[in-house]
Amino acid sequence: MKGEKHAAHVLLFLAGAFLASYLAWWRTSGYHISLSTIESLRIVTLTGVAYLMLCWPYKNWSANSETVQTHRAMGRTEWSLLAVFVALACAFVPYKGLILDDTLLTTWHHWAAYIGPAELMREGVYPLHDIPAQYGFGPTSLIALSCGVLDCWSGFYWLNVVFTIAFFTALAYATLILSRQSSLPASVALLICISICAFGWTMYPPSLLSPVATPSTSGMRFLPATLMMCFLVHTALCKPNDPTVRSIRIPGHLFWIFGLLWSPEAAVHTTFMWGPFFVWSSVFYGPHPRSARVFFNQVALLVAILLATLTGFVFVFWLLSGEVPLWRMYTASLRNPPGALPVDYMASIWFALGCFGLWFIALWAMRNEEATDGSALASWIAMLFAIVTFTYFLGRSHSNNILNLLPYFAILLVAIRTMQTAWAVQQLAAVLLAALIGWSGIFGWGYYQNARDTAGYFAHQGTALTTLMSYQNPDNVAQFMKLQSLEAEEILEQQQNDLREALDYIRDVRGEPAEIFDAHMLIEAQSGFGPWSGIHPVSTAYFATSQERQQYLRNALARLDRAGWIVISDTFALTSIVDDYATVYEQTEKLVFGTYAAIRYSPTLDPVVQ
């Protein structure tokens, strides 16, 4: 019997390792995966050690040897573990040396899409009425407020740090409370796993970036959904028989309202988590269980709260701006997803489908059992969390974007591992969690090693971001060339010199603002001028239709009434954008600076906001 269990462990380990191998999309080619012997041994060793930790016998190690409390919050030891890991995150996340030395270009590109609309907002162009807010009204307005305290780039940096740490804290809390009856080694392994998911798998594993380099893969986008999940899991496990009392309802509605106001994505995420949970708990645990009247009453209440929230937001928006938000601006990013691609069915999609399938198998295996500890309800919440965040992949369907969602699949696997289901299902979930640790053995740590060797931890901590995210910085030519082949370096250096010459002329000689249109899609952090057009940066309108871009330009022209320049590369793919500007503005001048053309536009008569 013991030998059979050992054999089952081996078979489950191999099955989980095989499924997890699909995550390493950058190492796969068809049916083959490229790994050296050392890398293979590293993956197997890390996965094996993590799996042994996760298989450590369950015991109530935080209850001071008292009987297991099925419905309890975390104990002192769990809180201590959480404090240690959050403290490590607080030390790691704000590290500027990595941002500015090796990953500057990537960070600059991703931050520009957040900061550009906030700069327009400060100039009097209203997001959701004049231009879309690609990442939501919440982030845009917070960044605009931070611009008044610090410069926009430093303000966004600190907002990004705070939201990233809050995001990780919520994930770590949910992990610990889901596994609250696990052994100490297992809990440590789970926290390591969720840390690697939050700060490794989401940060482009082939060449790991800074945790704040891509805010769209962490708290700035997913914090509302993560907080909702955390709250619902806590409710399911700590108050499984009374989830409808007022003390539970009010926080749930507040988390939902936060999501509604934050962004369109957060609104979808939180609605499809709170709505089903609220209605279900009211119908099955209320004073009149399984009543159709209760069902329709609760649905009506949710609709009333939704309408009241939207009405209140529109009213406050109108008081502050004299305008009302427009539905077509609110849904612009949903209509024009920025990266829909054919799905690669030989890559990480199989890990996601495997996690979904494992949850259904877990439910089937416990169909004749009655879970009394809230674990089945918690797993249902974790499944909703994984499903709603999976919508991110639908609009950005590159295999790497599945990796950006691994924190949410990890929460689902933790929930499956703690369900009162079949032993084999629990162990397979444990293998997959261990594999998330094991496959970190082939991450590209080069940027971190270089930052460690050349910059030191506290490098650039006092450096103003605006001085580095600027074409006026002569060192940026080298930054732009880091990922280029030797053959491309000479061409790229010439392009960057041409661009700097054009920007220097426009700024120093003509004293006017400029927008930059090339493959990097950046904005100048030290221009000395505010934005002059409604496309700032071009990444916020790249996937819009030509008619929509003209509308953004026309609306911003009516607010700003400014002349300015576009500096466009001769290799920029979106050539139709020149026609969009020519439709709205009057072209008054065109100069050529090698591989870049600088075109000046001045306002036409009678611009009208549409």
Side-chain angles (χ1 to χ4, degrees), residues 302-423:
L302 289 175
V303 172
I305 293 173
L306 173 64
L307 293 177
T309 300
L310 297 180
T311 302
F313 174 72
V314 170
F315 179 68
V316 172
F317 193 100
W318 175 77
L319 283 179
L320 296 176
S321 67
E323 308 286 358
V324 295
L326 301 176
W327 179 250
R328 66 177 182 271
M329 294 296 182
Y330 183 80
T331 60
S333 59
L334 300 179
R335 291 196 314 274
N336 305 304
L341 299 169
V343 176
D344 182 358
Y345 289 103
M346 293 304 299
S348 50
I349 184 65
W350 286 109
F351 186 88
L353 296 178
C355 291
F356 289 141
L358 189 61
W359 181 78
F360 284 108
I361 294 172
L363 282 188
W364 176 257
M366 61 182 297
R367 64 191 182 280
N368 296 322
E369 302 290 336
E370 182 178 355
T372 58
D373 62 349
S375 61
L377 179 56
S379 76
W380 178 62
I381 295 163
M383 182 64 167
L384 282 177
F385 183 48
I387 289 174
V388 297
T389 52
F390 191 72
T391 56
Y392 170 82
F393 176 74
L394 301 180
R396 299 162 182 80
S397 44
H398 186 279
S399 295
N400 189 73
N401 288 327
I402 292 286
L403 310 189
N404 294 335
L405 301 175
L406 286 183
Y408 323 121
F409 286 108
I411 293 293
L412 176 59
L413 291 171
V414 173
I416 294 171
R417 176 183 169 272
T418 57
M419 291 172 68
Q420 296 176 4
T421 186
W423 174 86

Side-chain angles (χ1 to χ4, degrees), residues 177-395:
I177 200 166
L178 280 166
S179 60
R180 65 201 187 286
Q181 295 175 24
S182 295
S183 64
L184 177 58
S187 295
V188 171
L190 289 172
L191 284 175
I192 292 173
C193 177
I194 205 68
S195 300
I196 290 173
C197 288
F199 299 135
W201 286 107
T202 63
M203 295 296 114
Y204 193 67
S207 297
L208 281 177
L209 305 170
S210 160
V212 293
T214 56
S216 297
T217 62
S218 60
M220 293 301 291
R221 173 179 251 125
F222 292 110
L223 182 61
T226 306
L227 290 176
M228 178 64 82
M229 176 277 300
C230 200
F231 167 72
L232 294 181
V233 165
H234 175 92
T235 300
L237 294 174
C238 298
K239 298 180 181 291
N241 298 320
D242 193 15
T244 59
V245 294
R246 188 176 299 276
S247 61
I248 297 302
R249 288 185 176 193
I250 293 176
H253 290 317
L254 291 177
F255 281 125
W256 180 38
I257 291 170
F258 173 50
L260 291 174
L261 298 178
W262 187 251
S263 70
E265 273 185 303
V268 171
H269 295 165
T270 53
T271 298
F272 283 95
M273 292 171 68
W274 176 240
F277 179 86
F278 176 72
V279 173
W280 174 85
S281 60
S282 299
V283 169
F284 285 92
Y285 287 98
H288 305 288
R290 303 178 187 273
S291 166
R293 179 179 179 182
V294 172
F295 173 82
F296 288 110
N297 284 344
Q298 300 311 312
V299 170
L301 176 60
L302 289 175
V303 172
I305 293 173
L306 173 64
L307 293 177
T309 300
L310 297 180
T311 302
F313 174 72
V314 170
F315 179 68
V316 172
F317 193 100
W318 175 77
L319 283 179
L320 296 176
S321 67
E323 308 286 358
V324 295
L326 301 176
W327 179 250
R328 66 177 182 271
M329 294 296 182
Y330 183 80
T331 60
S333 59
L334 300 179
R335 291 196 314 274
N336 305 304
L341 299 169
V343 176
D344 182 358
Y345 289 103
M346 293 304 299
S348 50
I349 184 65
W350 286 109
F351 186 88
L353 296 178
C355 291
F356 289 141
L358 189 61
W359 181 78
F360 284 108
I361 294 172
L363 282 188
W364 176 257
M366 61 182 297
R367 64 191 182 280
N368 296 322
E369 302 290 336
E370 182 178 355
T372 58
D373 62 349
S375 61
L377 179 56
S379 76
W380 178 62
I381 295 163
M383 182 64 167
L384 282 177
F385 183 48
I387 289 174
V388 297
T389 52
F390 191 72
T391 56
Y392 170 82
F393 176 74
L394 301 180

